[in-house]
Amino acid sequence: MNFFKSQDEARRNTGRLVALFAIAVISLIVMTNLLVMFVFGYFSVETTGQITIEQLRQQFNWQVFLIIGAAVIVVITLGSLYKIVALAGGGARIAEMLDAELLVYGSNDFHKQRLLNIVEEMAIASGTPVPPVYLLDEDGINAFAAGYKPVDAIIGVTRGAIEKLNREQLQGVIAHEFSHVLNGDMKLNIRLIGLLHGILLIGMIGYYILRSSSHTRRSKDNGGAAILGLGLVVIGYAGTFFGNLIKAAVSRQREFLADASAVQFTRNPEGIAGALKRIGGDAAGSIIENPAGIQISHALFSQGIKTWFGSLYATHPPLGRRIVRIQPSWDGKFDYATHTLSL
């Protein structure tokens, strides 16, 4: 595996997707603007005959457009900032939310001590401070990194991962998580989540306008408010749906980047590839049962939750696709065996 080439490709794809996300947000702002202008009579389309581009240009009021556009941007920005601040706690806050156990040196538990040793090794390999390590009482094989910066990051690992993976496989998983910290993936995901919440806020405002219009008896006002409310609901919820698709695609590209970085840190493609094969052959897979797991699904090592729209909303690429990226000659067989563990 050429891990530098794979990293560059994943970064380029991420950049394209983030640009697409930005274009989608701008399109939603324009659509919302035109809807408001139409409802309040600043812009109208005749029902008879054909309207020309020149007529549209003459009707268009750029001053009103800019005012409404600024108002829409303020709504999205405030909604985004609220969500970003709510999610901006340190990694320890995320671990506590998942009822994870903080691990310390000196434990007589073989699995815990081995994990701490590996985290320290990968911190040295990646040139970052040794982060606190948390253990999740989950049977699935998974892990996550949380935190805005290396100084406030933590590593979380499931009990299934430390008990079912051998040393080199667990090392590959931990190296993958260090990549997420170094590449700022947590920060990127939180910003995308914030923007989605801002877009959703448009739909929520539309819902309340639509609901309020159903209680008024003034038919003219009721009709205009109903059209505005319905239009905002459609824009907000459709924008959130497609925005989530783009966010999931961004997350999948960051997984490819982290896989390539794991190979770089460990110099051992067998480690992370073996962990992915082990997940594919395990009955529990990588599923996280804790209800709070959905909030960090994008930060997990492997797909931790089941999605309504299958691969479209999946935060991680299929296991087979990830393995082939690392080992192009893979025979397609997963690992169903148990392993002899060592420090």
Side-chain angles (χ1 to χ4, degrees), residues 48-67:
T48 59
Q50 294 183 345
I51 189 166
T52 66
I53 299 297
E54 180 62 23
Q55 288 175 313
L56 288 174
R57 189 187 65 79
Q58 292 175 357
Q59 288 187 37
F60 205 81
N61 188 323
W62 280 105
Q63 183 177 2
V64 174
F65 182 88
L66 292 174
I67 292 173

Side-chain angles (χ1 to χ4, degrees), residues 166-183:
N166 65 24
R167 197 180 201 286
E168 71 172 7
Q169 291 169 352
L170 187 58
Q171 191 179 59
V173 171
I174 299 303
H176 174 105
E177 296 309 321
F178 269 97
S179 171
H180 283 311
V181 175
L182 284 171
N183 289 303

Side-chain angles (χ1 to χ4, degrees), residues 246-280:
I246 299 174
K247 184 180 79 69
V250 170
S251 181
R252 291 194 291 271
Q253 288 302 318
R254 304 311 280 185
E255 292 305 315
F256 286 132
L257 173 59
D259 286 347
S261 296
V263 176
Q264 178 188 356
F265 295 152
T266 63
R267 303 288 172 168
N268 179 19
E270 291 290 340
I272 186 167
L276 293 168
K277 294 172 188 175
R278 189 73 184 90
I279 290 172

Side-chain angles (χ1 to χ4, degrees), residues 1 21-22 28 32 55 92 96 123 152 158 160 170 175-176 185 239 253 321 328 343:
M1 178 188 190
F21 195 100
L28 289 171
T32 304
Q55 288 175 313
E96 292 168 2
D152 70 357
T158 63
L170 187 58
H176 174 105
D185 293 341
Q253 288 302 318
R321 190 176 174 193
L343 287 172

Side-chain angles (χ1 to χ4, degrees), residues 93-109:
R93 181 178 174 184
I94 304 294
E96 292 168 2
M97 179 181 69
L98 293 165
D99 300 320
E101 171 194 356
L102 175 63
L103 300 185
V104 295
Y105 283 96
S107 169
N108 293 324
D109 188 292

